[in-house]
Amino acid sequence: MATLRRLQEAPRHLLVCEKSNFGHDKSRHKHLVETHYHNYRVSFLIPECGLLSKELKSLVMDIGPYYSVKNLPLHELITHEFINTFVKKGSFSALTYNTSIDEDNTVALLPNDKDTYEETGLQGRPSRYSGRKSMKFVISIDLMDLSLNLDSKKYRRISWSFKEKKPLKFDFLLAWHPTGTEESTMMSYFSKYQIQEHQPKVALSTVRELQCPVLRSSGLAGEPEEACSALEFFDWLGAVFCSADLNNEPYNFISTYCCPQPSAVVAQAFLCTITGFILPEKIHVLLEQLCHYFDEPKLAPWVTLTVQGFADSPVAWREKEHGFHKGGEHLYNFVVFNNQDYWLQMAVGANDDCPP
């Protein structure tokens, strides 16, 4: 009975909200974007906008590419050539797909991070979310550390394990952001495998007569009859992205949700959604461009940028372990105000640490 009650309970979710200004020295917006590695969807909403600027549209259409490769042996990601070609010359991300984080072996390659917290070789540690009897383990390997001595005993042991003792193969999503001027050689490097180049899918739409909450950048908690709270806004934004009705009509049996008050109706709002395997570097450039949206006077009091991570990624932010449980969500949202203040909202599900 206790197990049945737990299954019927709503899963635990956590939302963290904070406010700052992009001009502040201690603003951590860049660090937060750069350490949320595996992103599959980026959306932004601009009230009182019917047409994107040339600069913003060009950036949206040039957000890719990324790659998929089938049956890639895991040892290929620790070879001398791979480390010298990609790891040392840019920010490389890889993530297994068609795998379930709570059921299958799952692999992720994280971009270079000077704060890597652990390098365990092949000695796994029990997952925090494996229950009383540890059936799930986490193995973390620092490729930058290995690259310092590719003839070491440690490197040989890891290479032997991946190549001979346990020759695992996976379907991967791959993306690379070179730090120099070199062209990506992804297609040619993995040419002996089934590799395919992809461009993210971009969906552009205009929402007419949209009822929007009234916000004040200085108050996350909102003010009665004056401004809505960050939590109310977060719920409203999710409803907009789902194309839910916001009028709470009595005949609507699908959604009884309505826009929080106070609110104002905008004639039109521009909604853009980008879906793929999207690098943090690209998202940071997009965020900067949205900040510059207010360089010239605009009717919009704010714009939003929402980023959702892969549900079956082994990590959320940095090396923080992530599990699926009942949802697998980990996402963040920026509300950018016309005075360069911003709200940052970070949400995770049941099997995650508190966002950074």
Side-chain angles (χ1 to χ4, degrees):
M1 291 298 294
T3 301
L4 180 61
R5 284 196 299 270
R6 285 196 297 271
L7 289 173
Q8 293 174 338
E9 291 174 354
R12 161 253 192 205
H13 295 82
L14 180 63
L15 175 66
V16 176
C17 304
E18 61 184 55
K19 60 184 177 69
S20 186
N21 185 284
F22 289 107
H24 290 173
D25 292 337
K26 294 185 178 181
S27 174
R28 64 193 194 104
H29 63 277
K30 182 178 180 181
H31 178 71
L32 181 124
V33 171
E34 290 178 345
T35 54
H36 192 265
Y37 301 123
H38 303 124
N39 311 291
Y40 87 93
R41 180 170 294 166
V42 179
S43 305
F44 60 85
L45 178 70
I46 307 177
E48 301 292 6
C49 175
L51 188 66
L52 285 185
S53 67
K54 181 180 178 180
E55 294 80 10
L56 194 52
K57 187 173 183 179
S58 175
L59 182 59
V60 166
M61 295 303 178
D62 191 31
I63 207 79
Y66 65 98
Y67 304 84
S68 63
V69 59
K70 293 186 176 181
N71 294 316
L72 180 67
L74 186 55
H75 72 81
E76 287 282 9
L77 299 182
I78 64 166
T79 64
H80 295 205
E81 185 181 2
F82 174 79
I83 292 174
N84 289 329
T85 302
F86 295 107
V87 177
K88 289 185 176 182
K89 295 181 180 179
S91 176
F92 191 97
S93 289
L95 179 67
T96 50
Y97 70 101
N98 296 329
T99 55
S100 300
I101 185 64
D102 292 338
E103 300 175 358
D104 306 319
N105 290 327
T106 307
V107 178
L109 181 61
L110 312 185
N112 301 340
D113 185 357
K114 66 180 180 180
D115 297 321
T116 296
Y117 77 106
E118 185 179 17
E119 45 179 295
T120 60
L122 294 185
Q123 182 179 355
R125 59 177 175 80
S127 167
R128 294 186 57 184
Y129 309 114
S130 60
R132 293 181 180 179
K133 186 177 180 180
S134 296
M135 300 295 291
K136 177 181 176 183
F137 294 85
V138 177
I139 297 175
S140 176
I141 300 171
D142 188 340
L143 293 186
M144 289 303 291
D145 176 71
L146 286 183
S147 70
L148 298 176
N149 188 357
L150 294 175
D151 295 319
S152 67
K153 181 179 179 181
K154 179 179 179 180
Y155 177 83
R156 291 195 299 270
R157 183 176 72 252
I158 294 172
S159 182
W160 168 80
S161 177
F162 286 168
K163 197 170 184 178
E164 299 181 35
K165 183 180 180 181
K166 192 70 174 178
L168 296 172
K169 295 182 179 182
F170 297 94
D171 295 344
F172 276 97
L173 296 177
L174 310 174
W176 186 45
H177 180 75
T179 53
T181 57
E182 295 184 34
E183 293 292 328
S184 175
T185 57
M186 198 86 72
M187 292 293 290
S188 59
Y189 185 88
F190 293 106
S191 60
K192 63 182 178 180
Y193 300 102
Q194 292 179 270
I195 185 169
Q196 185 176 358
E197 180 177 317
H198 304 273
Q199 293 294 334
K201 296 180 180 179
V202 178
L204 308 175
S205 62
T206 301
V207 185
R208 307 287 181 182
E209 301 295 323
L210 180 63
Q211 192 173 10
C212 298
V214 173
L215 305 179
R216 286 187 178 176
S217 64
S218 58
L220 285 171
E223 299 177 27
E225 300 183 1
E226 296 291 334
C228 296
S229 69
L231 178 58
E232 290 174 319
F233 181 82
F234 191 77
D235 289 340
W236 171 85
L237 189 62
V240 172
F241 288 159
C242 293
S243 301
D245 292 330
L246 305 176
N247 48 21
N248 190 20
E249 295 290 348
Y251 55 79
N252 191 331
F253 296 99
I254 297 177
S255 172
T256 59
Y257 182 80
C258 60
C259 181
Q261 299 299 319
S263 64
V265 176
V266 300
Q268 58 187 1
F270 196 91
L271 176 60
C272 174
T273 299
I274 309 164
T275 306
F277 188 39
I278 307 167
L279 288 170
E281 290 83 1
K282 300 290 187 178
I283 297 172
H284 182 248
V285 173
L286 181 57
L287 177 60
E288 285 189 327
Q289 189 63 49
L290 288 173
C291 292
H292 288 298
Y293 181 76
F294 295 110
D295 287 352
E296 297 179 1
K298 297 291 193 305
L299 291 175
W302 46 260
V303 301
T304 69
L305 176 69
T306 308
V307 179
Q308 296 171 265
F310 281 88
D312 285 298
S313 171
V315 297
W317 277 274
R318 287 182 53 191
E319 292 80 23
K320 290 182 179 292
E321 187 182 346
H322 169 69
F324 188 93
H325 191 51
K326 295 182 180 180
E329 61 275 7
H330 57 107
L331 65 146
Y332 63 90
N333 177 62
F334 282 96
V335 185
V336 182
F337 293 93
N338 54 15
N339 62 354
Q340 294 299 294
D341 285 349
Y342 69 84
W343 290 355
L344 172 58
Q345 301 166 313
M346 299 167 283
V348 294
N351 282 5
D352 278 279
D353 288 335
C354 182

